[in-house]
């Protein structure tokens, strides 16, 4: 893979925020090829380096009632070396969609000699294991994991840690193109290969998001939600730095990955606020404005990469209400951040009202925050899940 070098890096306390790096070539050939003089503007990341990082990566696929055909395509797109972890909150009563997902995954793994793990978010044994691990915050009063994409992602990260992976990446299950999935994971691997700290994050920016218009297919660059979220987040940062910045281009990136070392020290927001909150938690904890959340981490530094894919992004369109829900959740997180001052708050209310997502005079909701999962006793989690693992783990020849 060939990508642009990072030409500009914004520094915010202990955080290095790299500007967008475009993918120039999906496959850059063998390791031995490549000329030394290109090293300045363009980086070549050879296949072995990509594979070395993919081997250490778990890919978490959160899913809830997505079309099985899309789910199958997504699992086919995840590179062979990664361990797939599916966390499903799909229907089990009228139709057992979870069973269909499990069967599809098992069949796929059998034919491709791959390993995977699949759990249902509402499995009571998962709830018990979380309690045993001392991480009951994720549970409702019945002892089951709460609904929500974020909650599924946290379960996935805990499983990745339990298995001993170094990196965890996320891929939505409603992606239409297996080739995009494949590229996103390569972007994660490329980002990690460039990181100089154990605390790194890679966020994918899609080149285009195709939309149907009256004139046919239109390749749009920016989605509505991401445009607004990025603008507000940049305003917030600009105020804190005293210089205007437009560095944030992936405030809402669902397709992103982290080193497990970084993943386990972040507080997470519930539901759809999780992605913007990850950045906010970093700015709050390590931006140098508030006291450092962990001085050792601050000392090692944190790197955030934003990599622009070649493949366009096409996923299920879930309607205007879903857009409002995403906007409210993300901007709600920003609004209630201790870093957010009056001017940015005003801007948030204006944006939400403009989009018709919030009536005048109301405030966006404050997201619920889950504590970092570093505190969870991962051995106790494993011990509690171990007797059931056979049912959840799909290994080849099984
Ligand atoms: P968007 O792509 O950000 O607009 O949001 P989506 O509605 O497509 O959700 C992103 C991913 O999260 C999809 O794969 C959904 O199926 C999945 N998802 C949504 N809600 C839940 C949930 O409650 N639990 C889990 N495990 N996944 C969910
Ligand atoms: Co989607």
């Amino acid at each position: 893979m060939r990508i642009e070098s990072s030409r500009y890096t914004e520094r915010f306390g202990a955080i290095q925020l790299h500007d967008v790096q475009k993918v120039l070539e999906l496959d850059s050939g063998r390791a031995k090829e490549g000329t030394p003089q290109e090293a300045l503007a363009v980086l070549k990341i050879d296949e072995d380096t990509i594979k070395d990082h993919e081997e250490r990566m778990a890919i978490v696929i959160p899913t809830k009632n997505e079309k099985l055909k899309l789910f199958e395509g997504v699992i086919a797109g995840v590179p062979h070396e990664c361990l797939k972890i599916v966390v499903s909150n799909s229907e089990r009563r009228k139709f057992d969609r979870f069973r269909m997902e499990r069967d599809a995954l098992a069949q796929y793994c059998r034919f491709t000699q791959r390993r995977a793990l699949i759990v249902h978010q509402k499995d009571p044994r998962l709830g018990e294991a979380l309690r045993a691990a001392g991480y009951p915050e994720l549970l409702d009063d019945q002892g089951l994991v709460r609904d929500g994409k974020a909650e599924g992602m946290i379960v996935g990260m805990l499983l990745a840690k339990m298995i001993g992976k170094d990196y965890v990446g996320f891929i939505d299950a409603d992606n239409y193109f297996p080739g995009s999935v494949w590229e996103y994971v390569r972007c994660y691997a490329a980002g990690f290969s460039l990181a100089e700290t154990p605390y790194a994050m890679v966020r994918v920016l899609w080149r285009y998001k195709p939309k149907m218009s009256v004139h046919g297919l239109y390749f749009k660059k920016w989605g509505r939600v991401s445009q607004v979220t990025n603008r507000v987040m940049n305003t917030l940062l600009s105020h804190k730095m005293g210089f205007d910045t437009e560095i944030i281009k992936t405030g809402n990136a669902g397709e992103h990955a982290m080193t497990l070392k970084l993943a386990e020290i972040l507080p997470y927001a519930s539901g759809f606020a999780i992605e913007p909150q990850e950045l906010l938690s970093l700015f709050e904890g390590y931006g140098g404005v508030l006291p450092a959340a962990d001085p050792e981490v601050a000392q090692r530094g944190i790197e955030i990469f934003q990599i622009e894919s070649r493949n366009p992004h096409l996923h299920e369109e879930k309607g205007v209400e879903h857009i409002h829900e995403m906007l409210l959740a993300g901007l709600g997180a920003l609004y209630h951040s201790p870093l957010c001052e009056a001017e940015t708050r005003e801007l948030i209310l204006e944006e939400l009202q403009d989009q018709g997502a919030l009536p005048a005079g109301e405030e966006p909701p404050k997201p619920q925050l889950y504590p970092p999962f570093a505190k969870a006793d991962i051995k106790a989690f494993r011990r509690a899940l171990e007797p059931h693992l056979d049912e959840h783990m799909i290994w080849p020849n099984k």
Side-chain angles (χ1 to χ4, degrees), residues 195-208:
E196 285 171 2
T197 153
Y199 304 98
M201 181 186 282
V202 184
R203 301 172 80 94
V204 171
L205 169 68
W206 14 95
R207 188 151 178 125
Y208 301 111

Side-chain angles (χ1 to χ4, degrees), residues 326-394:
M326 304 250 320
L327 262 178
L328 265 182
L331 295 196
L334 282 153
Y335 187 89
H336 293 284
S337 164
L339 292 180
C340 191
E341 51 8 275
E343 224 170 301
T344 311
R345 283 187 166 206
E346 259 326 295
L347 175 70
I348 291 173
L349 294 178
E350 271 168 37
E351 293 281 3
L352 285 172
Q353 285 161 23
D354 279 358
Q355 300 285 338
L358 187 77
E362 284 187 25
E363 285 194 337
K366 189 174 178 172
Q368 190 191 342
L369 282 189
Y370 296 115
F373 64 81
K375 73 158 189 154
D377 179 346
I378 209 74
K379 287 202 185 108
F381 185 64
R382 183 182 245 289
R383 264 199 309 276
L385 277 186
E386 203 118 64
H388 319 294
L389 270 184
D390 251 11
E391 198 183 315
H392 295 303
M393 289 194 124
I394 300 170

Side-chain angles (χ1 to χ4, degrees), residues 66 172 174 313 315-316 318 322:
E66 300 295 352
D172 287 351
D174 63 341
H313 184 72
H315 70 150
E316 280 281 276
K318 289 172 181 152
H322 178 65

Side-chain angles (χ1 to χ4, degrees), residues 62-66 87-89 121 147-149 152 172-174 272 315-316 318 322 326:
T63 182
K64 185 176 180 183
N65 301 330
E66 300 295 352
V87 185
S88 169
N89 196 13
Q121 199 161 328
D147 286 321
K149 178 193 177 192
D172 287 351
D174 63 341
F272 287 107
H315 70 150
E316 280 281 276
K318 289 172 181 152
H322 178 65
M326 304 250 320

